[in-house]
């Protein structure tokens, strides 16, 4: 990092400290008539906003009247879908900003305005938003290296392509994969009702050990990345094991943090709705920003090509691993793309159907030709396409499965953050599933078009962007969000701790998904029925 | 085989024990469920974990060949290798050679080949490759620094003459399964590019030739059923200790049980403590068993009988068809076991228990719904009610057979048919590409440039004909 950047970073940190202090001041000033510090965001919003929205009530009554008619209902659903898609698409462009942060804010706003907006727009709005995220999130992930947990599945090839000036290919390939995933998700409808429901019910009582198995394999399958140079056993061992040590260390720290924070939350009860946000911003967003600021170089010149390097064959190759990984995420709590893609990659890798082969020299005594099969060259595209498929099955599928209401799944079978956030305000009804399919299709088409346009814009403005600001401004936004929504100073403290933990895999080249142990270990322990005993054993209760 | 294949196979094997599945299920009544199946998975990958994470670092090679990333010297490497072979031939003392990879950046490696001739070695440096082993065109070293060749006095061979009773048994079984062994071919070439490099062992045998041992540290002590049993002893002991502790806690002797009594009483009982070690051993056993179907084999009875035997050579460890089919089978069987021992939501077994009375019920229902079919359905219903029900055990297994046919046999059949259709097409396309490459080389007449043309073509996604034009 140059001295100029270090000074710039120091100024920003100083500004943040001052801003945070200023924000904290009103709560400690006894004379201020402002709301007490213990009030939640919803209550603070409620105080000011409801009065302003009263003028809307007559229009709301008119809307309710229109919605008795199917056409009016359809128009409202369409409006909800489009508004959700547009908002989701715009906010997803912010590096490090996760859709669940936005969804959390929207749910809290909904709690305030629920009497003023037709209920029928709620699910389409959120569905549109999450579909847009599945598509547009590729742009910050590829061009600004703003990694969330799931980016592990598609980060390496996309970053490599961006470095070679082919960011357009990366983005569009991911979009094509996501669109293919949309079609797969719709085609899976009979499978969802006739097979997945049974798998869901069979796995239900066994969830704890299935998550445990995934964790065991995940930790045990990280092989030493070092070459093992050295004259003694210990020298070879320590050279090779750096990443494994770092991975195991991260896993242990994240597990302990998870057991503590999920058993005895430090965030005030009124902010519990977004209690997990500081943790994941710390695990994924801030380490990426630090890494980007330290490693930053000028963005490479990008090219707009007429074609992308893939055809239907590649989509076909990517379909099976992408679908398996996506369904894993959609069906098991806490399993994310980074983890599931390791599994599906191990399971479905058919690259060696045709391995590297040695060919005779053209002239005797000259080079042996090592023939690299075409499949090797295509794996980059297959990887990105598969990542796109997984992404939509993970985020959208997990929410869509809430609407699969059958005799054995009367409450649906959805997983994922959005489902958890919406549970208190929304429950699906029979017939919603097919409306949601239409919503997904419309939102997908809009999002794919938006992806193409936004990618072109990004490529045009990328050379003119100040990359320091690109990373630092969203970070400031995230710090404000954590302060306001994630528990104030306590939330910032939690984010600081998890940033330290999340930085270990970044700087020691181990898997970042080890930090997901924060959720997975406590979930497995609690689902198995040991939560109370563990809490007593750790003196947390 | 792949780690995940061993992992799911171990869990699948353990899931055939009804008590294991039942104690693993969360009954939903507030009682705790066991994590016992984790042991099957963990011990299922343990042999390879011990090899690749520990064992290889204990195998210190006498000679290390570590190419300079900036200026690799293939001739020096070939000369060093030839020196080792000559020393082994002259002294009779076994030696090992470690090749290292050459990393140029986070995602850049210098690839090289180690090609063996009966009495010579060729080290050839190729293009820079990514971690996905994709070459970057035009990055091969200049011709004068690209290849090194050195001859040695002794002949290399890929199959050992020295075999013991265990190897004889494996060979006998292999010949029964596959027919007579093919004559051993030459030592296969190796490509060194990403992560760690290979280690080769060399040993002079009675016929004066040098036996080439690929990865001499792999599948030796770690792939032993005896070691597997020994490694499960701590599990047995701990489980027994915890079960005793839980027993004391249950008997009210909490002071004796200590502060862990509450936890252990949830996990262990005197009836099931032995299952923990047994499940762990099953995982380990199946790993070694599956590896015996490959080419390298294992040291099944180490330390009682130390040499590594050959394998049955039925599959290649990296064959995606074997790995995928075993994984799919194991996952399906595990789900089936979970259902039949605990949840029982799959309907077929229940359906057959009521067979054929349920046919009668359906026939009555449909004949009321579709009167024009009544003539056909009513006699069917009458017949169904008159027939005595199936034996419950037979009915249940009929249901299981239907389940497995639908979800295991048919999908596997489709998979193998699809791969059988796909693979010849991939091979034909690759052959076409190779032939075009040869034409390309002849047309251009300059190998180093011509070789780069193929990666260029594939990387950019254009047709090869365009490159030739």
């Amino acid at each position: 990092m140059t001295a100029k950047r270090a000074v710039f970073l120091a100024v920003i940190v100083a500004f943040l400290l001052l801003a945070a202090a200023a924000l904290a001041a009103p709560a400690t000033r006894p004379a201020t008539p402002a709301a007490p510090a213990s009030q939640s965001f919803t209550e603070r919003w409620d105080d000011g906003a409801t009065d302003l929205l009263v003028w809307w009530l007559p229009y709301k009554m008119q809307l309710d009247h229109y919605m008795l008619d199917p056409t009016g209902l359809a128009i409202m659903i369409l409006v909800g879908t489009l508004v959700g898609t547009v908002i989701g698409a715009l906010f997803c462009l912010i590096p490090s900003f996760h859709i669940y942060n936005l969804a959390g804010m929207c749910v809290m706003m909904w709690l305030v305005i629920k009497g003023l907006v037709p209920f029928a727009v709620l699910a389409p709005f959120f569905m549109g938003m999450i579909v847009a995220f599945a598509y547009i999130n590729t742009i910050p992930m590829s061009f600004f290296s703003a990694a969330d947990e799931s980016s592990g599945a598609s980060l390496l090839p996309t970053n490599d392509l961006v470095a070679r000036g082919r960011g357009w290919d990366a983005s569009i390939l991911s979009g094509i994969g996501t669109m293919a995933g949309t079609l797969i998700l719709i085609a899976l409808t009979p499978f969802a009702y006739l097979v997945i429901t049974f798998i869901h019910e069979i796995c239900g009582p066994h969830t704890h050990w299935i998550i445990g198995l995934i964790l065991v394999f995940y930790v045990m399958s990280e092989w030493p990345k070092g070459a093992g140079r050295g004259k003694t056993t210990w020298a070879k061992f320590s050279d090779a094991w750096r990443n494994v040590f770092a991975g195991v260390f991260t896993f242990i720290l994240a597990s302990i943090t998870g057991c503590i924070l999920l058993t005895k939350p430090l965030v005030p009860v009124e902010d519990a709705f977004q209690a997990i946000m500081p943790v994941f911003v710390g695990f994924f967003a801030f380490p990426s920003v630090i890494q980007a600021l330290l490693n930053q170089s000028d963005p490479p010149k990008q090219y707009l090509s007429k074609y992308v390097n893939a055809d239907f064959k590649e989509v076909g190759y990517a379909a099976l691993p992408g679908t398996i990984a996506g369904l894993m995420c959609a069906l098991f709590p806490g399993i994310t793309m980074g983890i599931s893609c390791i599994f599906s990659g191990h399971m479905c890798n058919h690259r060696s159907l045709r391995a590297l082969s040695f060919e005779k020299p053209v002239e005797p005594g000259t080079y042996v030709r090592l023939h690299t099969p075409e499949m090797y060259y295509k794996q980059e595209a297959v990887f990105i396409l598969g990542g796109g498929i997984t992404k939509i099955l993970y985020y959208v599928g997990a929410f869509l499965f809430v609407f699969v209401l059958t005799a054995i799944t009367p409450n649906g079978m959805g997983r994922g953050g959005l489902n958890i956030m919406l549970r208190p305000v929304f429950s699906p009804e029979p017939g919603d599933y097919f409306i949601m399919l239409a919503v997904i299709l419309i939102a997908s088409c809009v999002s794919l078009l938006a992806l193409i346009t936004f990618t072109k814009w990004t490529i045009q403005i990328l050379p003119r962007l100040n990359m320091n600001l690109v990373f630092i401004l969203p970070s400031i936004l995230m710090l404000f969000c954590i302060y306001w929504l994630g528990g104030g100073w306590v939330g910032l403290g939690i984010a600081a701790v998890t940033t330290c933990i999340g930085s270990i895999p970044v700087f020691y080249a181990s898997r970042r998904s080890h930090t997901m142990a924060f959720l997975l270990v406590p979930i497995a322990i609690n689902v198995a029925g040991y939560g109370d005993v563990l809490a007593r054993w750790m003196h947390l209760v | 085989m792949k780690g995940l294949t061993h992992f799911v196979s171990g869990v699948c094997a353990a899931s055939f024990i009804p008590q294991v599945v039942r104690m693993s299920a969360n009954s939903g009544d507030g009682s705790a469920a066991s994590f016992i199946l984790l042991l099957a998975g963990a011990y299922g990958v343990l042999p390879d974990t011990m090899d690749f994470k520990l064992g290889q670092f204990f195998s210190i090679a006498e000679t290390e060949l570590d190419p300079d990333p900036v200026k690799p010297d293939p001739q020096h490497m070939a000369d060093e290798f030839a020196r080792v072979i000559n020393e082994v031939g002259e002294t009779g003392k076994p030696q090992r050679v470690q090749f290292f990879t050459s990393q140029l950046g986070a995602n850049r490696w210098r690839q090289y080949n180690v090609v063996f001739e009966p009495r010579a070695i060729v080290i050839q440096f190729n293009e820079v490759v990514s971690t996905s082993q994709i070459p970057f065109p035009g990055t091969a070293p200049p011709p004068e620094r690209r290849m090194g060749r050195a001859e040695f006095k002794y002949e290399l061979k890929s199959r050992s003459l020295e075999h013991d009773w265990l190897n004889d048994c494996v060979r006998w079984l292999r010949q029964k399964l596959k027919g007579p062994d093919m004559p051993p071919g030459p030592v296969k070439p190796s490509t060194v590019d990403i992560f760690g490099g290979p280690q080769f062992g060399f040993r002079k045998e009675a016929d004066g030739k040098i036996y080439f041992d690929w990865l001499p540290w792999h599948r030796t002590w770690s792939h032993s059923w005896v070691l597997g049993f020994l490694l499960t002893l701590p599990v047995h002991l701990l489980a027994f200790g915890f079960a005793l502790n839980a027993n004391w806690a249950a008997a009210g002797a909490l002071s004796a049980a200590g502060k862990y009594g509450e936890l252990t009483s949830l996990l262990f009982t005197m009836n099931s403590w032995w299952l923990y070690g047994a499940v762990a051993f099953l995982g380990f056993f199946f790993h070694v068993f599956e590896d015996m179907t490959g080419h390298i084999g294992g040291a099944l009875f180490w330390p009682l009988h130390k040499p590594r035997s050959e394998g049955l050579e039925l599959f290649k460890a990296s064959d995606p068809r074997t790995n995928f089919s075993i994984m799919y089978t194991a996952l399906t069987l595990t789900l089936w076991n979970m259902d039949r021992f605990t949840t029982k939501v799959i309907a077929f077994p229940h359906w057959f228990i009521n067979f054929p009375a349920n046919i009668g019920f359906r026939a009555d229902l449909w004949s009321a719904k579709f009167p024009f079919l009544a003539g056909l359905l009513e006699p069917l219903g009458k017949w169904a009610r008159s027939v005595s029900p199936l034996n419950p055990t037979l009915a249940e297994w009929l249901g299981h057979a239907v389940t497995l046919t639908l979800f295991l046999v048919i999908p596997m059949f489709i998979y193998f048919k699809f791969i059988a259709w796909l693979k010849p097409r991939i091979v034909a396309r690759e052959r076409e590409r190779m032939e075009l490459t040869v034409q390309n080389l002849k047309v251009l007449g300059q190998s180093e440039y011509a070789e780069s043309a193929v990666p260029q073509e594939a990387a950019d996604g254009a047709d090869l004909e365009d490159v030739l034009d």
Side-chain angles (χ1 to χ4, degrees):
Chain A
M1 191 163 58
T2 61
K4 199 176 157 189
R5 281 188 186 142
V7 171
F8 184 74
L9 196 58
V11 170
I12 292 296
V13 171
F15 168 76
L16 280 177
L17 289 174
L18 285 172
L23 283 169
T28 55
R29 231 181 275 158
T32 309
S38 61
Q39 268 194 326
S40 68
F41 176 81
T42 317
E43 288 162 337
R44 291 197 292 264
W45 172 280
D46 206 4
D47 288 344
T50 312
D51 293 342
L52 290 173
L53 293 169
V54 168
W55 64 272
W56 172 250
L57 267 174
Y59 299 100
K60 165 69 172 40
M61 290 166 73
Q62 194 75 29
L63 270 180
D64 288 342
H65 175 72
Y66 288 141
M67 283 177 60
L68 294 174
D69 178 58
T71 314
L73 183 65
I75 289 170
M76 283 315 297
I77 289 171
L78 189 62
V79 168
T81 307
L82 293 176
V83 171
T85 309
V86 170
I87 291 177
L90 291 175
F91 276 85
C92 289
L93 288 171
I94 301 171
S96 309
F97 196 74
H98 199 283
I99 194 68
Y100 288 159
N101 300 331
L102 179 64
M105 290 180 215
C106 291
V107 171
M108 284 193 277
M109 287 179 197
W110 169 261
L111 291 174
V112 176
I113 61 169
K114 61 185 172 190
L116 306 170
V117 180
F119 183 74
V121 303
L122 181 68
F125 173 81
F126 281 100
M127 187 60 97
M129 206 159 71
I130 199 122
V131 169
F133 174 75
Y135 280 84
I136 310 292
N137 169 254
T138 301
I139 294 175
M141 222 168 71
S142 308
F143 292 97
F144 308 123
S145 309
D148 71 339
E149 194 286 323
S150 304
S151 62
S154 52
L155 190 64
L156 284 175
T158 51
N159 271 10
D160 202 36
L161 283 175
V162 170
R164 287 189 269 147
R166 293 171 59 194
W168 165 260
D169 285 35
S171 185
I172 299 305
L173 275 175
S174 178
I176 293 170
T178 316
M179 181 50 92
T182 308
L183 300 177
I184 289 172
L185 186 61
I186 292 168
L188 280 177
T189 295
F191 190 71
Y193 277 86
L194 299 174
V195 179
I196 295 177
T197 44
F198 285 89
I199 294 175
H200 180 264
E201 283 307 294
I202 292 170
C203 293
H206 298 272
T207 307
H208 59 284
W209 66 260
I210 294 174
I211 294 174
L213 275 179
I214 290 170
L215 286 174
V216 166
F217 182 76
Y218 195 73
V219 172
M220 290 184 81
S221 68
E222 183 158 36
W223 299 113
K225 280 183 187 159
R229 286 182 174 84
K231 284 291 174 193
T232 62
T233 298
W234 173 248
K236 286 159 82 80
F237 186 74
S238 58
D239 177 57
W241 262 63
R242 273 169 306 183
N243 67 307
V244 183
F245 274 134
V248 172
F249 189 53
T250 310
F251 182 88
I252 292 169
L253 288 180
S255 307
I256 294 169
T257 314
C259 287
I260 294 169
L261 290 183
L262 296 185
T263 309
K264 190 176 185 178
L266 301 177
V267 171
V269 166
E270 59 273 11
D271 289 319
F273 198 68
Q274 284 280 339
I276 226 166
M277 178 179 69
V279 174
F280 283 99
V281 170
F283 276 147
F284 298 110
F286 288 158
S288 299
V289 169
I290 294 169
Q291 187 188 24
L293 288 171
L294 290 175
N295 296 341
Q296 203 185 95
S297 54
D298 292 332
K301 184 174 166 51
Q302 301 294 315
Y303 302 95
L304 269 176
S305 55
K306 206 172 174 183
Y307 303 102
V308 289
N309 187 14
D311 58 25
F312 283 116
K313 259 190 308 182
E314 277 70 65
V315 178
Y317 288 136
L320 186 64
T323 306
I324 289 176
L327 288 178
M328 265 182 82
C329 297
L331 288 173
F332 295 107
I335 304 299
T336 48
M337 268 178 71
I339 296 172
S340 68
C341 284
I342 296 274
F343 276 81
S344 71
H346 277 255
M347 190 172 176
C348 305
N349 185 359
H350 280 63
R351 188 176 83 160
S352 49
L353 263 182
R354 182 72 178 155
L356 290 170
S357 61
F358 292 87
E359 304 301 323
K360 282 180 188 170
V362 174
E363 294 161 23
T366 59
Y367 313 125
V368 171
R369 285 182 300 110
L370 187 66
H371 181 77
T372 309
E374 193 182 18
M375 212 180 252
Y376 279 56
Y377 295 99
K378 296 292 187 185
Q379 65 190 347
E380 194 175 61
V382 171
F383 196 91
I384 298 173
L385 289 164
I389 294 171
T390 306
K391 201 155 54 158
I392 197 145
L393 286 173
Y394 169 30
Y395 288 111
V396 180
F399 185 44
L400 179 69
F401 290 156
V402 176
F403 300 91
V404 179
L405 306 177
T406 65
I408 58 169
T409 55
N411 298 315
M413 49 180 182
R415 304 274 191 208
L418 191 57
N419 180 33
I420 293 166
M421 280 184 254
L422 286 182
R423 264 296 173 207
V425 294
F426 174 78
S427 56
E429 287 172 20
D432 284 354
Y433 181 86
F434 294 95
I435 296 173
M436 284 302 124
L437 287 188
V439 168
I440 291 169
L441 264 181
I442 294 165
S444 289
C445 295
V446 175
S447 302
L448 188 60
L449 293 174
L451 176 72
I452 294 168
T453 311
F454 289 169
T455 306
K456 279 182 186 164
W457 290 352
T458 308
I459 288 173
Q460 281 166 7
I461 63 164
L462 197 63
R464 292 194 284 274
L465 282 178
N466 179 335
M467 295 306 280
N468 285 328
L469 286 178
V470 166
F471 293 111
I472 289 172
L473 288 179
S475 303
I476 294 170
L477 176 70
M478 291 312 300
L479 286 172
F480 277 109
C481 286
I482 292 172
Y483 184 84
W484 282 109
L485 306 174
W489 288 109
V490 175
L492 288 172
I494 291 171
V497 171
T498 53
T499 302
C500 295
I501 299 172
S503 298
I504 299 170
V506 169
F507 293 104
Y508 286 89
S510 67
R511 294 172 178 167
R512 298 188 68 182
S513 302
H514 283 302
T515 51
M516 286 306 293
F518 171 86
L519 274 186
L520 290 170
V521 170
I523 287 177
I525 288 172
N526 280 301
V527 173
Y530 302 108
D532 294 342
V533 179
L534 185 80
R536 282 197 289 278
W537 196 61
M538 290 178 78
H539 300 284
L540 294 171
V541 290
Chain B
M1 287 181 190
K2 285 177 187 288
L4 186 60
T5 311
H6 294 307
F7 190 75
V8 294
S9 305
V11 175
C12 175
S15 75
F16 275 90
I17 305 173
Q19 198 180 344
V20 168
V21 180
R22 286 185 193 124
M23 62 200 272
S24 298
N26 193 331
S27 55
D29 60 1
S31 59
S34 175
F35 282 102
I36 186 171
L37 281 162
L38 267 60
L39 284 168
Y43 273 72
V45 281
L46 193 57
D48 282 348
T49 302
M50 290 192 292
D51 262 0
F52 287 96
K53 289 189 178 175
L54 294 172
Q56 64 165 311
F57 306 114
F58 288 93
S59 179
I60 308 283
E62 286 77 8
T63 306
E64 292 184 342
L65 298 177
D66 195 358
D68 186 333
V70 183
K71 276 191 176 177
D73 186 352
Q75 189 56 51
H76 171 72
M77 291 172 73
D79 290 342
E80 274 294 290
F81 187 89
R83 179 188 61 76
V84 171
I85 299 297
N86 287 335
E87 270 183 25
V88 172
E90 282 155 15
T91 63
K93 194 178 160 195
Q95 288 202 40
R96 286 161 294 184
V97 176
Q98 172 75 49
F99 283 89
F100 284 110
T101 50
S102 176
Q103 187 166 13
L104 308 176
N107 190 28
R108 297 289 181 274
W109 308 75
R110 169 70 68 188
Q111 184 187 64
Y112 63 97
N113 298 332
V114 184
V115 185
F116 300 98
E117 296 170 12
R119 286 176 186 271
I121 182 171
V122 177
I123 307 274
Q124 174 188 305
F125 278 82
N126 297 327
E127 282 89 354
V128 173
V129 298
S130 67
T131 309
S132 309
Q133 295 167 295
I134 302 173
F136 291 93
T139 54
E144 65 276 11
R145 283 198 288 115
R146 185 157 182 192
M147 202 168 78
R149 185 173 185 278
E151 294 187 355
F152 32 80
K153 299 177 203 159
Y154 300 87
E155 193 174 326
L156 289 180
K157 60 175 184 177
S158 61
R159 182 160 276 176
S160 173
L161 274 182
E162 296 168 5
H163 42 94
D164 48 38
W165 62 270
L166 181 61
N167 226 340
D168 287 340
C169 292
V170 172
R171 282 186 183 184
W172 174 83
L173 186 58
R174 184 171 67 213
Q175 284 161 10
K176 287 283 169 201
L177 292 169
K178 289 181 65 185
D181 284 340
M182 299 287 282
V187 176
K188 287 182 180 168
S190 284
T191 301
V192 186
D193 42 27
I194 58 168
F195 299 133
Q199 190 181 87
F200 305 129
F202 300 97
R203 182 178 77 225
K204 190 179 180 187
E205 293 200 334
D207 59 356
K209 294 180 182 175
I210 309 282
Y211 170 59
F212 171 90
D213 193 1
W214 187 70
L215 299 186
W217 45 263
H218 187 32
R219 297 202 193 167
T220 50
W221 55 274
S222 60
H223 285 60
S224 154
W225 285 325
V226 178
L227 179 76
F229 174 73
L230 294 174
L231 288 172
T232 59
L233 285 181
V235 179
H236 278 293
L237 286 173
L238 278 172
F240 183 68
F242 287 143
L244 270 181
N245 190 280
N247 220 23
W248 289 334
L254 277 175
S255 56
K259 64 176 179 177
Y260 303 108
E262 190 183 7
L263 191 62
T264 54
S265 61
L266 288 173
L267 276 164
F268 302 95
T269 65
M270 288 307 283
N271 293 330
S272 62
W273 66 268
W274 60 276
L275 277 171
Y276 286 83
V279 160
F281 182 70
L282 263 181
F284 200 98
F285 176 88
F286 270 88
H287 182 122
V288 179
F289 176 79
E290 285 172 338
D291 275 351
M292 284 304 291
T293 61
H295 283 68
I296 304 183
L300 302 184
F301 302 108
W302 186 95
L304 306 175
H305 179 79
K306 289 186 177 173
R308 176 175 83 181
S309 79
E310 294 167 359
L312 293 171
E313 298 179 8
L314 299 175
F315 319 107
K316 275 188 176 175
S318 60
D319 192 326
R321 294 166 295 185
T322 318
N323 282 290
F324 182 79
S325 53
I326 291 178
M327 274 187 255
Y328 181 82
T329 305
L331 289 173
T332 310
L333 290 177
T334 308
L335 275 173
W336 175 62
N337 285 332
M338 283 155 65
D339 180 64
R340 72 193 178 107
F341 296 140
T342 55
T343 51
K344 299 183 192 296
V345 292
I346 297 176
F348 296 115
H350 316 302
W351 195 83
F352 275 101
I353 284 173
N354 293 323
F355 184 83
N358 44 11
I359 294 275
F361 173 75
R362 285 279 161 202
D364 290 348
L365 206 70
W366 289 342
S367 60
K369 225 173 194 177
F370 310 107
F372 61 95
L373 288 176
L376 197 70
L377 292 171
E378 274 174 9
L380 180 68
K382 202 174 281 177
W383 167 80
R385 278 190 297 277
S386 67
V387 176
S388 55
L390 284 176
N391 174 301
T393 312
L394 175 68
E396 192 184 339
W397 279 97
L398 260 176
H400 290 319
V402 171
T403 310
L404 292 179
T405 307
L406 273 178
F407 295 107
L408 182 60
V409 178
I410 293 175
M412 277 293 96
F413 179 78
I414 294 170
Y415 170 73
F416 280 113
K417 279 283 170 197
F418 177 70
I419 294 292
W421 172 85
L422 182 69
K423 192 172 177 185
R425 279 159 182 77
I426 293 173
V427 172
R429 187 167 164 78
E430 289 304 327
R431 192 161 294 145
E432 192 186 330
R433 284 185 68 223
M434 282 191 275
E435 283 166 7
L436 285 166
T437 311
V438 172
Q439 286 176 26
N440 184 17
L441 292 169
K442 284 177 181 166
V443 169
L444 292 177
Q446 290 178 335
S447 306
E448 63 274 18
Y449 300 120
E451 272 180 288
S452 296
V454 176
Q456 178 77 57
E457 166 267 320
D460 288 345
D463 286 328
L464 191 58
E465 286 82 350
D466 297 342
V467 178
L468 290 173
D469 289 342

